[in-house]
Amino acid sequence: MADCVFDKIVSGQIPADIVFQDDKVMAFRDINPKAPVHILIIPKKHVVSVNDLTEEDLPLMGRMMAAAQKVASLQGLKAYKLVINTGAEAGQVVMHLHMHLLGGKRLEIPV
């Protein structure tokens, strides 16, 4: 989508503090962190939300989980929280599937 901020980060049009990427996913620091470590993990392919995933996308979700594990290790985290908001009513602000990796302090619910 031409107006999606995450698509613009993937294409390099908008800078981000990228901490990990491969050919399918990208991870970068959130500009409004809710924890000492707050990293967003996104698919490079535009998918709006979990509700828009297809059978074809299932390996992509596995790739996002593997990226979360890798990023947490790179950040020195042994304990962390993964959050996926689906839809505006659940707190999804950017309509591009993304996972929040939060850590670096004791985390309560809600974050």
Side-chain angles (χ1 to χ4, degrees):
M1 298 186 89
D3 60 339
C4 175
V5 66
F6 289 173
D7 287 335
K8 289 179 179 180
I9 289 171
V10 169
S11 71
Q13 294 174 344
I14 295 176
D17 185 359
I18 299 167
V19 297
F20 173 80
Q21 70 176 312
D22 63 19
D23 61 324
K24 301 288 183 192
V25 300
M26 177 182 280
F28 50 90
R29 295 190 191 284
D30 194 299
I31 61 170
N32 187 22
K34 305 294 186 215
V37 176
H38 187 169
I39 295 170
L40 302 175
I41 301 166
I42 69 167
K44 289 184 174 181
K45 172 186 175 182
H46 186 86
V47 177
V48 173
S49 75
V50 169
N51 288 340
D52 298 284
L53 291 167
T54 66
E55 287 284 326
E56 176 183 292
D57 296 320
L58 292 179
L60 185 57
M61 287 304 297
R63 207 61 180 264
M64 288 176 68
M65 296 301 288
Q69 197 176 35
K70 174 82 171 173
V71 168
S73 177
L74 290 170
Q75 298 298 309
L77 300 175
K78 292 185 181 183
Y80 52 94
K81 182 180 290 196
L82 298 174
V83 178
I84 300 174
N85 299 320
T86 303
E89 289 183 26
Q92 185 178 2
V93 176
V94 178
M95 295 303 145
H96 183 122
L97 177 63
H98 58 285
M99 180 184 319
H100 299 259
L101 184 149
L102 302 131
K105 71 173 188 175
R106 182 170 178 82
L107 298 167
E108 304 296 332
I109 297 176
V111 175

